[in-house]
Amino acid sequence: MVRPSVTELVRRARDGDRGAVAKLISVVETGGPDALAAGAALFPHTGRAYTVGLTGAPGAGKSSLVDALIRRIRADGDEVGVLAVDPTSPFSGGAILGDRVRMQDHALDPGVSIRSMATRGHLGGLALATPQAVRVLDAAGKPWVLIETVGVGQVEVEIAGAADTTVVVVTPGWGDGVQANKAGLMEIADLFVVNKADRPGVEETVRDLNLMLDLSPPRSWRPPIVPTVAVRGQGVDELWEAIGAHRAHLEATGELAARRQERLRRELRTIVGARLAERAEAACSGSRFERLVREVAARERDPYSAAEELLAGAGMRGAGGPPAPGSG
Ligand SMILES: Nc1nc2c(ncn2[C@@H]2O[C@H](COP(=O)(O)OP(=O)(O)O)[C@@H](O)[C@H]2O)c(=O)[nH]1
Ligand SMILES: [Mg+2]
């Protein structure tokens, strides 16, 4: 049953009520029964928004680019939703919007919704909460949703890479350091931005990126490299054009639908994994678990039959024995 309060929030969000949009994003971020109800009520009204993910190291200029893109999109008369996702912070409420002052320029514009999210929340975490939050903005009728994610590795790749177009933001000198996550970023990038192009080293960085692209497995789309000076708005039109060109490519080749289906496939697996992990956590606590630990420790029974008993107690059936050699 959908709770009336959530239904009401969804109705108001679909009417463009920014307060309701903000509230719903908090609800899906927090998890629990309300989040499930909200997700179910929202889903039929989603699937229209085009999502653009921006990722990169802290300070690379993601928020500045988001700010510039908001202006660009609003100049066309379109509405836009923005999610700022920080996997490094336990606090939501604006940490990585950083330059709040700049973002506040948009606070009075009813065509712009900006929310930030942090790691607080349910199992499965941000990788599951982010697509649900995007759905809130989608259902609210935003044709564009920008997702800013701080670069921290795997989580970033999961979140930023879950957009229709993924923009990897680097700065001059990016090629220099050994960065564990470079390969992951090369894989998810549909577009590279070399921001802070007012600083020395832009040509070298563009050259390094081209070299890395030459060495990557060939794809139907070669990520363009766009130099920008976000704070002056330089290169932003070119960036917006490149995003449009990538979108046109995805639509013309049918890759957009395939990508979105692949994303849903991954999401579904993640949900099932998270749910199983919750049940495993519940099965491995309490008196039954402690009793079995003692019995195994006393050599009264073996760990696999103990696990079977725990799984049966949690309403799950185990594999029926230890994995066959070489099967895992
Ligand atoms: N020189 C220069 N500074 C920039 C540029 N873009 C952003 N900045 C500055 O870099 C700092 C970090 O920018 P921000 O957008 O908050 O980066 P984020 O952490 O990636 O979101 C801020 O002080 C910006 O004013 C640029 O193109 N050139
Ligand atoms: Mg930022």
Side-chain angles (χ1 to χ4, degrees), residues 211-294:
L211 214 65
M212 283 190 254
L213 288 172
D214 290 343
L215 296 172
S216 304
R219 289 187 277 168
S220 64
W221 170 264
R222 182 178 168 108
I225 303 166
V226 185
T228 60
V229 183
V231 284
R232 286 193 222 132
Q234 284 172 20
V236 173
D237 284 340
E238 288 78 358
L239 170 58
W240 188 237
E241 262 170 45
I243 290 169
H246 181 245
R247 178 179 187 165
H249 165 80
L250 291 181
E251 286 172 349
T253 55
E255 268 182 65
L256 183 59
R259 246 182 206 223
R260 287 179 171 180
Q261 182 161 330
E262 185 52 37
R263 230 149 68 202
L264 289 171
R265 174 193 298 274
R266 245 185 297 142
E267 185 181 359
L268 204 46
R269 296 185 84 105
T270 308
I271 295 168
V272 171
R275 289 289 177 270
L276 286 175
E278 282 168 8
R279 291 168 78 173
E281 200 50 52
C284 297
S285 60
S287 56
R288 190 207 299 261
F289 181 68
E290 295 308 328
R291 170 177 59 78
L292 286 164
V293 168
R294 283 194 303 274

Side-chain angles (χ1 to χ4, degrees), residues 86-262:
D86 189 350
T88 64
S89 166
F91 308 107
S92 63
I96 63 163
L97 292 177
D99 304 26
R100 288 232 90 170
V101 182
R102 203 174 44 223
M103 288 297 181
Q104 269 162 12
D105 290 356
H106 307 293
L108 294 176
D109 181 348
V112 182
S113 278
I114 304 175
R115 295 296 296 171
S116 63
M117 303 211 304
T119 39
R120 174 174 64 102
H122 47 87
L123 266 171
L126 285 174
L128 284 177
T130 304
Q132 289 293 74
V134 167
R135 287 179 184 127
V136 174
L137 295 164
D138 187 352
K142 306 287 179 248
W144 299 99
V145 176
L146 310 178
I147 309 166
E148 173 186 343
T149 312
V150 178
V152 290
Q154 190 51 39
V155 184
E156 151 206 25
V157 166
E158 268 169 38
I159 295 167
D164 295 321
T165 295
T166 300
V167 179
V168 171
V169 183
V170 305
T171 49
W174 186 71
D176 303 346
V178 180
Q179 219 182 36
N181 206 34
K182 254 177 206 165
L185 290 179
M186 295 302 291
E187 233 168 79
I188 61 166
D190 297 308
L191 236 130
F192 284 100
V193 162
V194 182
N195 189 42
K196 306 200 182 181
D198 51 332
R199 297 198 174 161
V202 186
E203 293 77 15
E204 290 90 323
T205 303
V206 171
R207 195 195 52 215
D208 288 349
L209 282 169
N210 267 316
L211 214 65
M212 283 190 254
L213 288 172
D214 290 343
L215 296 172
S216 304
R219 289 187 277 168
S220 64
W221 170 264
R222 182 178 168 108
I225 303 166
V226 185
T228 60
V229 183
V231 284
R232 286 193 222 132
Q234 284 172 20
V236 173
D237 284 340
E238 288 78 358
L239 170 58
W240 188 237
E241 262 170 45
I243 290 169
H246 181 245
R247 178 179 187 165
H249 165 80
L250 291 181
E251 286 172 349
T253 55
E255 268 182 65
L256 183 59
R259 246 182 206 223
R260 287 179 171 180
Q261 182 161 330
E262 185 52 37

